[in-house]
Amino acid sequence: MKKLMVRGGRRLEGEVKISGAKNAALPILAATLLAEGECVIKNVPYLTDVDNIIDILRPLGMFIERQEDGSILTRVEDDSCSTATYELVKKMRASVCVLGPLLATRKKARVSLPGGCVIGIRPIDLHLKGLRALGANIEVIHGYVEAEGEKLRGAEIFLGGAFGSTVLGTANVMMAATLIEGTTIIENAACEPEVQDLANFLRKMGAKIEGAGTHRLVIEGVEKLTGTTYSIIPDRIEAGTFIAASAITQGDILIKDMRIDHLHAVIDKFREIGVEIRKVRENPETGLHDVRARGGKSYQSCDVATLPYPGFPTDLQAQISTVLTLASGISVITEKVYPDRFMHMSELNRMGASVRKEGNTAIVLGVDFLSGAPVMASDLRASAALVLAGLVARGETVIDRIYHLERGYEKIADKFAKLGVEIKME
Ligand code: EPZ
């Protein structure tokens, strides 16, 4: 099993380029199932999760290959198979986002239930509610979603759940609605930048979608969608992770090709605790920003509550929690999206942090230092938090089960090494 060794004590200095967003790439690659003709998707990060969605799409009759220039070429060649098997879906729950496109184009889909993961049981009841509202007959049997729908029609759907909007639920219903007769209105839709990116890709293929980025999406079905070229937005969670890395090491780094407008809640919170963050440059062609993040000598504690976009993202909760373990005073962190998403806290406590968990809240009492230790990653963002802790801990930290990290962070060891960190894959 691969492990990552990090030796603490170095300030991060230099510059890092942000890769394409994993959580935009996955639904957009699934959406190429809707296209007639070829699609070329650019700025797709090299991640195991991208490999996983490719492995799901190939058996569904799609030609899909990474090109020399790094872009991914797709072309639907055979629509006879509409099954995504358990063996493939269990590796990545986001595979569930092939449901909508398969229903829209092949009028049937057999997709394994994704199952939960350490951050929660992660049901898909809202996905199924939305697709049923469009007229699909859906049965959940033997661990599979069996869906079919000869006559799907647009409908008005409220897609909010106990934890607010659903990102992939919105993606699934929006994709299905693009090619069916009538107008679909999704109330309490997700507004995440990755959902906006998917909507922009669908519109570029000819879909009629209004309201992307708001809680109300209006989709008017069209006859067909035509393959196109599209470039994925930068990964806001990776960018936020590097802000946290600069903060925790009192570093001074230039984060290139990110989008400040995707991180207002995150930048606001890091400024509140004492990190200096400012836009250095805006690229006129791409609209992307270069941002300087400078850590402070010490940090103020603060309270953080995770919320659906534009609130503070749950995917950066573990990372800011790690910074707060060294802030002076008591910080209260409330998880309103995944109430159990605190697996990283027990590992941080093994490194000398002082965190208590009360239900969906963690109380973090700032300590003077963390000490390196052998730790174990439990999920993608928790593993990023352990790397951050290792950057500043006294001595060496060895992180086991590092495959979690490689799911969502492209060339992360190289990027940290270039910023001056003593880090190596073992
Ligand atoms: C997406 O997952 C992201 N994954 C997650 O990122 C992210 O944490 C999450 O959105 C929230 O922002 C991808 O985009 C591939 P949800 P998704 O449906 O769509 C509940 C990462 O680290 N819910 O928005 O699966 C659910 O349990 C990953 O990159 C229902 O109750 O999340 C959760 O509490 C982790 N019923 C809340 O809603 C449903 O049918 C938000 O989930 C669907 C969701």
Side-chain angles (χ1 to χ4, degrees):
M1 184 90 70
K2 265 199 295 192
K3 296 182 180 181
L4 189 67
M5 189 288 292
V6 187
R7 182 170 297 288
R10 302 278 185 81
R11 294 180 70 246
L12 261 60
E13 288 182 320
E15 57 185 58
V16 62
K17 182 185 180 324
I18 298 303
S19 304
K22 166 178 85 78
N23 291 349
L26 299 178
I28 285 173
L29 288 170
T32 61
L33 282 166
L34 297 161
E36 284 188 21
E38 288 187 351
C39 290
V40 175
I41 312 298
K42 297 176 181 292
N43 201 30
V44 179
Y46 287 80
L47 299 171
T48 44
D49 268 12
V50 171
D51 299 339
N52 288 334
I53 196 80
I54 290 173
D55 291 345
I56 288 266
L57 291 169
R58 281 205 177 110
L60 297 173
M62 181 184 280
F63 170 86
I64 177 166
E65 290 289 341
R66 180 86 67 170
Q67 305 300 292
E68 281 299 299
D69 66 358
S71 64
I72 289 188
L73 174 73
T74 74
R75 186 179 53 243
V76 178
E77 295 186 323
D78 168 10
D79 62 2
S80 56
C81 170
S82 300
T83 295
T85 63
Y86 174 63
E87 286 62 41
L88 291 170
V89 174
K90 72 181 177 188
K91 283 197 274 183
M92 183 183 67
R93 60 177 317 285
S95 317
V96 72
C97 65
V98 298
L99 251 181
L102 288 174
L103 257 182
T105 53
R106 306 182 190 182
K107 312 299 178 205
K108 64 181 187 308
R110 185 168 176 273
V111 177
S112 165
L113 278 172
C117 65
V118 290
I119 65 176
I121 54 171
R122 305 189 71 181
I124 59 165
D125 56 306
L126 296 171
H127 298 234
L128 305 186
K129 171 187 176 184
L131 296 174
R132 283 186 173 116
L134 298 176
N137 298 315
I138 294 183
E139 215 185 339
V140 177
I141 187 160
H142 305 307
Y144 277 79
V145 174
E146 309 264 358
E148 57 88 29
E150 275 312 316
K151 277 304 288 164
L152 300 178
R153 282 198 58 74
E156 281 206 36
I157 306 161
F158 179 79
L159 217 45
F163 302 96
S165 45
T166 161
V167 171
L168 289 181
T170 301
N172 253 331
V173 176
M174 175 167 67
M175 288 189 282
T178 55
L179 281 178
I180 64 176
E181 227 176 287
T183 301
T184 297
I185 297 174
I186 304 176
E187 300 288 358
N188 206 157
C191 316
E192 272 69 4
E194 295 76 22
V195 175
Q196 296 178 50
D197 211 26
L198 172 63
N200 291 335
F201 171 59
L202 292 167
R203 286 158 59 149
K204 200 172 176 197
M205 289 203 289
K208 289 205 174 84
I209 300 171
E210 295 301 325
T214 75
H215 284 302
R216 188 173 192 271
L217 283 174
V218 181
I219 303 112
E220 198 183 322
V222 294
E223 283 296 304
K224 76 170 191 168
L225 297 181
T226 310
T228 186
T229 297
Y230 192 78
S231 186
I232 303 272
I233 55 171
D235 195 315
R236 62 193 168 105
I237 306 303
E238 185 192 20
T241 303
F242 279 105
I243 291 175
S246 186
I248 206 164
T249 61
Q250 299 174 23
D252 183 355
I253 64 173
L254 183 68
I255 302 170
K256 296 177 70 67
D257 292 344
M258 61 176 273
R259 287 276 298 269
I260 288 180
D261 53 315
H262 291 167
L263 281 169
H264 284 311
V266 174
I267 290 170
D268 177 63
K269 204 40 89 175
F270 275 107
R271 282 177 172 155
E272 184 185 328
I273 65 176
V275 183
E276 183 195 320
I277 300 169
R278 66 185 175 80
K279 179 163 81 171
V280 170
R281 176 177 178 272
E282 173 160 350
N283 181 321
E285 280 95 56
T286 60
L288 299 182
H289 307 130
D290 293 352
V291 172
R292 189 167 180 182
R294 292 184 60 178
K297 287 270 168 289
S298 63
Y299 296 117
Q300 280 309 308
S301 59
C302 74
D303 296 346
V304 182
T306 65
L307 289 164
Y309 194 84
F312 193 95
T314 174
D315 290 353
L316 280 167
Q317 178 261 109
Q319 296 89 322
I320 197 166
S321 299
T322 305
V323 178
L324 292 171
T325 64
L326 295 166
S328 53
I330 294 175
S331 300
V332 178
I333 296 152
T334 311
E335 248 299 349
K336 297 193 171 173
V337 180
Y338 292 116
D340 300 330
R341 194 176 196 169
F342 291 119
M343 294 293 285
H344 44 286
M345 297 301 193
S346 47
E347 293 302 282
L348 291 173
N349 283 345
R350 292 186 56 246
M351 296 176 72
S354 172
V355 184
R356 234 168 8 94
K357 181 177 173 300
E358 296 287 334
N360 70 335
T361 299
I363 294 107
V364 181
L365 173 63
V367 294
D368 296 335
F369 65 91
L370 297 177
S371 51
V375 290
M376 184 144 71
S378 55
D379 67 275
L380 167 55
R381 307 305 175 181
S383 46
L386 296 177
V387 174
L388 295 178
L391 295 178
V392 73
R394 292 180 184 174
E396 181 178 276
T397 298
V398 179
I399 304 162
D400 199 353
R401 298 192 180 176
I402 209 63
Y403 57 85
H404 289 292
L405 197 63
E406 293 175 315
R407 292 190 48 181
Y409 288 94
E410 183 180 59
K411 305 190 184 87
I412 189 80
D414 298 349
K415 290 187 174 183
F416 273 123
K418 284 201 186 84
L419 290 167
V421 174
E422 191 182 338
I423 184 170
K424 68 176 188 306
M425 213 57 105
E426 290 179 342

